[in-house]
Amino acid sequence: MIRRWHVVVLVILAVVAIACDGAGEAAPEPTKSSKPVTRAYPSSMAALGDSITAGVGSCLAFLACGRNSWSTGSGSAVESHYRRILDKNSKIKNHADNFAEPGAEADALAGQADRAVDAKAQYVTILIGANDACAGRVENMTPVRRFREEVDRGLGRLKKGLPKTRVLMVSIPDLYRLWEVGHKDERAAGVWSEGRICPSMLADPTSTARADAERRRAVRDRIDAYNTQLRKACKAYGKKCRWDGGRAHEVRFTLDLVNEIDYFHPNVEGQNELADVVYPGRIDW
């Protein structure tokens, strides 16, 4: 009887020992997959806007050069949003459309939005407004109210046709800053004058006359007003729209970031800078 009891006790002790083995240790973390998480990244995208997004001046010829676009560029020279997303989600390959048009103003946004809807883009970037400010004269700049109405019209087309699509609204770069860094450069000043590049801001670039100084400030203020309306329009759009926080406007552009043909449009380095400062990272807002 005693021997049987000893056997029972030994069995119980063995069971307890097994049950307690590893007690007090945290459970092992589940092994994380080495595969990238694609849920936060779209499988298609579209770029809307003007010549900056079209990549004008970023190739050897002064033409639209979509492969170098900060948004949808596929060339190796620019770490575009498309290429960054492709690195995370291979499904986006060959599904990046650039509908930006050189010379486009805000009134072109609705038509471009329709094309993005037809393409079923899951991510849309918008950079528009520089041409609304770059008029022949200050008086010809797009009025702020009309600018907002045209932006809202374009956003309305997107929201109706692509309610689940993420939209990135990018601020207009600081053209006054461009004048500040370039007006003392003989080559840049000459090109601006002879080529009538953004005359509302860059005409008579070396003039210190009061009227010219006031003209430039008026353009600067109009761009600030446009950016305010872009931010508000994005907020009114809802949670699917993200404002860049004014980062594109805050870029401290130098002549090293613009091409040497018109000293206005970003070169490859400028496109890279723009792509970097406005890239939102995970596109899951």
Side-chain angles (χ1 to χ4, degrees):
M1 188 71 177
I2 295 176
R3 289 181 180 177
R4 291 181 180 178
W5 174 248
H6 279 295
V7 171
V8 172
V9 171
L10 290 173
V11 171
I12 293 174
L13 290 175
V15 172
V16 171
I18 293 171
C20 293
D21 185 36
E25 296 179 5
E29 290 290 333
T31 303
K32 294 182 179 180
S33 173
S34 59
K35 296 182 180 180
V37 178
T38 61
R39 289 181 306 171
Y41 300 94
S43 298
S44 60
M45 68 176 292
L48 314 185
D50 53 33
S51 53
I52 296 176
T53 300
V56 167
S58 63
C59 293
L60 296 178
F62 191 67
L63 299 169
C65 188
R67 72 173 182 269
N68 287 339
S69 170
W70 65 270
S71 176
T72 56
S74 59
S76 60
V78 176
E79 282 297 306
S80 67
H81 288 202
Y82 165 69
R83 293 188 65 219
R84 294 170 191 235
I85 296 168
L86 179 62
D87 186 54
K88 302 293 184 180
N89 182 9
S90 61
K91 292 181 179 180
I92 200 173
K93 187 174 183 178
N94 299 325
H95 294 291
D97 296 297
N98 194 326
F99 301 127
E101 305 164 287
E105 299 183 11
D107 61 359
L109 193 57
Q112 293 180 14
D114 286 339
R115 298 178 70 185
V117 171
D118 290 341
K120 296 180 173 58
Q122 296 177 5
Y123 172 52
V124 174
T125 68
I126 300 175
L127 172 51
I128 197 78
N131 290 315
D132 292 88
C134 285
R137 298 183 303 167
V138 168
E139 295 78 11
N140 298 135
M141 293 188 297
T142 304
V144 176
R145 173 179 283 186
R146 195 169 82 209
F147 177 81
R148 173 62 185 274
E149 290 172 350
E150 291 166 348
V151 170
D152 282 342
R153 188 176 301 114
L155 289 177
R157 301 279 182 87
L158 283 177
K159 192 169 187 177
K160 181 178 179 180
L162 300 170
K164 295 182 179 181
T165 289
R166 270 76 174 183
V167 178
L168 177 69
M169 183 70 77
V170 179
S171 54
I172 304 165
D174 188 351
L175 302 184
Y176 189 81
R177 160 73 180 178
L178 180 62
W179 170 79
E180 284 183 319
V181 301
H183 74 281
K184 293 183 179 180
D185 184 284
E186 186 176 342
R187 294 169 302 171
V191 169
W192 291 344
S193 297
E194 294 174 14
R196 287 186 55 78
I197 308 299
C198 191
S200 58
M201 174 65 79
L202 301 177
D204 300 316
T206 60
S207 172
T208 57
R210 180 177 179 180
D212 289 317
E214 290 178 347
R215 166 176 55 83
R216 296 178 197 119
R217 287 195 294 269
V219 179
R220 178 195 63 189
D221 294 345
R222 183 60 58 89
I223 291 175
D224 287 343
Y226 289 165
N227 278 331
T228 296
Q229 293 308 314
L230 290 171
R231 174 178 58 81
K232 290 182 176 180
C234 185
K235 182 177 181 180
Y237 188 93
K239 295 181 179 179
K240 296 296 182 180
C241 185
R242 173 168 289 187
W243 169 240
D244 80 337
R247 292 182 180 87
H249 187 74
E250 293 169 359
V251 172
R252 308 303 290 167
F253 270 100
T254 65
L255 294 185
D256 291 335
L257 295 179
V258 295
N259 72 79
E260 295 184 358
I261 301 175
D262 68 354
Y263 287 93
F264 183 83
H265 289 91
N267 56 20
V268 168
E269 290 76 14
Q271 290 284 348
N272 264 310
E273 181 72 11
L274 190 56
D276 192 52
V277 298
V278 303
Y279 186 62
R282 289 170 62 92
I283 304 172
D284 58 355
W285 62 83

